[in-house]
Amino acid sequence: MFSSAGKHQKLPTSSAEADQASVADSGATQHNEVLWPAERDSSVSNTAYELAPHERHSGESISSSFMFRDSMDGSIEHAGHVRLRDLDAEAGSSFSADHSRDRTDHVYDREPDTPVHTSGASMVSSFFNLTNAIVGAGVIGLPYAIRQAGFIIGVLMIIVLALLVDWTLRVLALNSKLSGQQTYQGLVEHCFGRTGLLANSFFQGAMAGGGMASFIVIVGDTLPHVLSALMPTIGQTGFGRVVFSRRFVIAFFVIFMAYPLSLYRDVGKLSKTSAFAVVAMCTIIASVIIEGPRIDSSLRAEPGSPFVLANTGVFQAVGIITFAFVCHHNSFMIYGSLRKPTLNRYFEVIHISTVIATVASLIIAVIGYIYFREKTQGNILNNFPQDNLLINIARSLFALNMITTFPMETLVAREVIDQLMFRDQEFSMKRHVIITTVLCALCLVVGETVCNLGVLLELTGGLSASFLAFILPPACYIKLCSGPMVSWKTVPHWLCICFGFTVMVLSTVLSIRHAVVSQEANGSCWNVQ
């Protein structure tokens, strides 16, 4: 039952009454506009829409649009749509939404009508999926981000951007409820039409593709070292030099491991592998902390080297940190895979995942930079020698982590193509396989030809992640929210949009400039065996 005004109001008691009230000829759906006053106190009202068992229409749908009015200024705050579907004539079921301190509690507690991804994942599984999406490939680039921005500014940026990502993830989920859309593409098209859909598809596809390419580069940076250290005798033979080469390892990883997992259609099926990835990330952090002081002093920062508190590469660092934290492009799939996908449950998953990811990121970023300072590389594991046992274990686990994270990015990229080009067509397994194959092949080519992980993270984070995380979510909220577009309520959203555009432009330009002039970024992977 819907709770609101303190009294009961009946829905149509027969199909005939519903037919008379309906605008459509079929009479299957009735639209009632209901205005609920939103009180500022914590009282719970008792209005209820209820059907007695003999009054329900089996197999029919009754739809009710709703708006929320602020009782103090009279402005419309939110609008949405609720469906009462397939009311059971046998059971005394009713649909309820209590309105208390939060004016949108019924929106926060109501499940979506037709969730796209319905794997029925538990909150624990969703937590592992979201945490894995946040602390993916970008986490090993965070020490390099602090090198770029300076210690104090880098640490502050990690904390601020983590808070901003937590907020925009919640805004994005609220936008989904208010619009009734269950995909990022659908939300943006609902708000900004075809132009918005095209822009979102470009940036979301670039973000997913950049993530896939980054994971492949990481595998090429890690596994060859591990294999050579584990089997040094074989590595010195002609066969070993081929099998343990960067190019062969990357090709094997993509074709026989990442590609089969990418054929999954449901992100919920990856929850167990995501749990392993989170455990692996903790092991990587521990190995960096333990082995940092024990490696040869020539590999660490020079004695007396400056401890830079602030540096000039702030916007490049923002791009890396943004890439590390942003998971908005696959958040809809994680949200939809939740067994009971209400906003309150999903917000709890967001908060816990963001806190864990922030703590882990700060530890590896700070410790990594303290150990290596001006020698910090884009992949912190590359600062350690090839024969270090614990670091090689970390490299192995991180490569396996990329195997579990790669399919999540493939799911996003594939969904972008499906929504953009085949949205009105039925699912086709042949098309599903072809799209997945092409995506993996393209990323394989990029991974084989790009060596510098830091530059790749800067470009992907600065160009795509900032647009998806800091521009679109608040822009969609402003579009969906009734009332004036510029008001005190929307000031945080406008500030976030301005920040997003600033980061996107400056970070992208400076990252391209850094890639062109830096000798560190100009190495060719074709010279790496």
Side-chain angles (χ1 to χ4, degrees), residues 250-438:
I250 286 178
F252 184 89
F253 157 77
V254 173
I255 295 172
F256 295 103
M257 303 181 79
Y259 174 67
L261 286 175
S262 298
L263 291 172
Y264 276 121
R265 295 176 56 197
D266 193 340
V267 70
K269 291 181 170 58
L270 301 174
S271 58
K272 292 182 179 179
T273 57
S274 294
F276 163 78
V278 174
V279 174
M281 186 58 60
C282 295
T283 306
I284 293 168
I285 294 172
S287 66
V288 171
I289 295 174
I290 295 171
E291 292 298 322
R294 298 168 59 180
I295 63 174
D296 190 274
S297 59
S298 62
L299 299 176
R300 297 198 303 268
E302 298 291 339
S305 60
F307 194 81
V308 181
L309 300 181
N311 209 347
T312 57
V314 173
F315 286 100
Q316 296 98 308
V318 171
I320 297 174
I321 299 170
T322 301
F323 179 89
F325 278 98
V326 166
C327 58
H328 298 60
H329 54 303
N330 52 31
S331 64
F332 275 82
M333 290 185 293
I334 297 173
Y335 176 31
S337 71
L338 199 60
R339 184 170 299 141
K340 185 181 178 184
T342 62
L343 287 182
N344 285 329
R345 285 166 59 83
Y346 183 54
F347 285 2
E348 186 176 347
V349 172
I350 291 175
H351 292 321
I352 297 174
S353 299
T354 305
V355 169
I356 297 298
T358 303
V359 172
S361 299
L362 284 172
I363 291 174
I364 193 170
V366 170
I367 297 298
Y369 176 73
I370 289 175
Y371 287 159
F372 301 104
R373 301 185 194 179
E374 76 281 354
K375 294 183 179 180
T376 305
Q377 299 187 36
N379 180 348
I380 188 62
L381 297 180
N382 287 347
N383 283 99
F384 292 87
Q386 181 174 313
D387 58 354
N388 187 294
L389 177 61
L390 186 56
I391 292 298
N392 280 334
I393 293 175
R395 286 172 175 148
S396 302
L397 292 175
F398 197 62
L400 293 175
N401 185 5
M402 295 304 96
I403 294 173
T404 63
T405 310
F406 186 95
M408 296 183 68
E409 300 296 337
T410 309
L411 281 167
V412 176
R414 187 171 58 230
E415 186 175 90
V416 168
I417 296 174
D418 277 333
Q419 289 286 327
L420 191 62
M421 303 177 63
F422 308 104
R423 60 187 307 175
D424 297 325
Q425 299 182 24
E426 295 292 332
F427 171 78
S428 168
M429 180 57 71
K430 180 180 179 181
R431 184 177 73 243
H432 174 83
V433 173
I434 291 175
I435 293 175
T436 304
T437 304
V438 171

Side-chain angles (χ1 to χ4, degrees), residues 6 14 116 155 184 257 265 449 498:
S14 67
V116 177
V155 169
Y184 209 155
M257 303 181 79
R265 295 176 56 197
T449 55
C498 294

Side-chain angles (χ1 to χ4, degrees), residues 5 47 60 99 105 111 130 145 196 204 210 226 245 268 285 397 412 432 438 454 526:
T47 293
E60 294 184 350
H99 175 72
D105 270 353
E111 298 180 36
L130 187 59
Q204 195 169 351
V226 175
S245 67
I285 294 172
L397 292 175
V412 176
H432 174 83
V438 171
W526 294 105

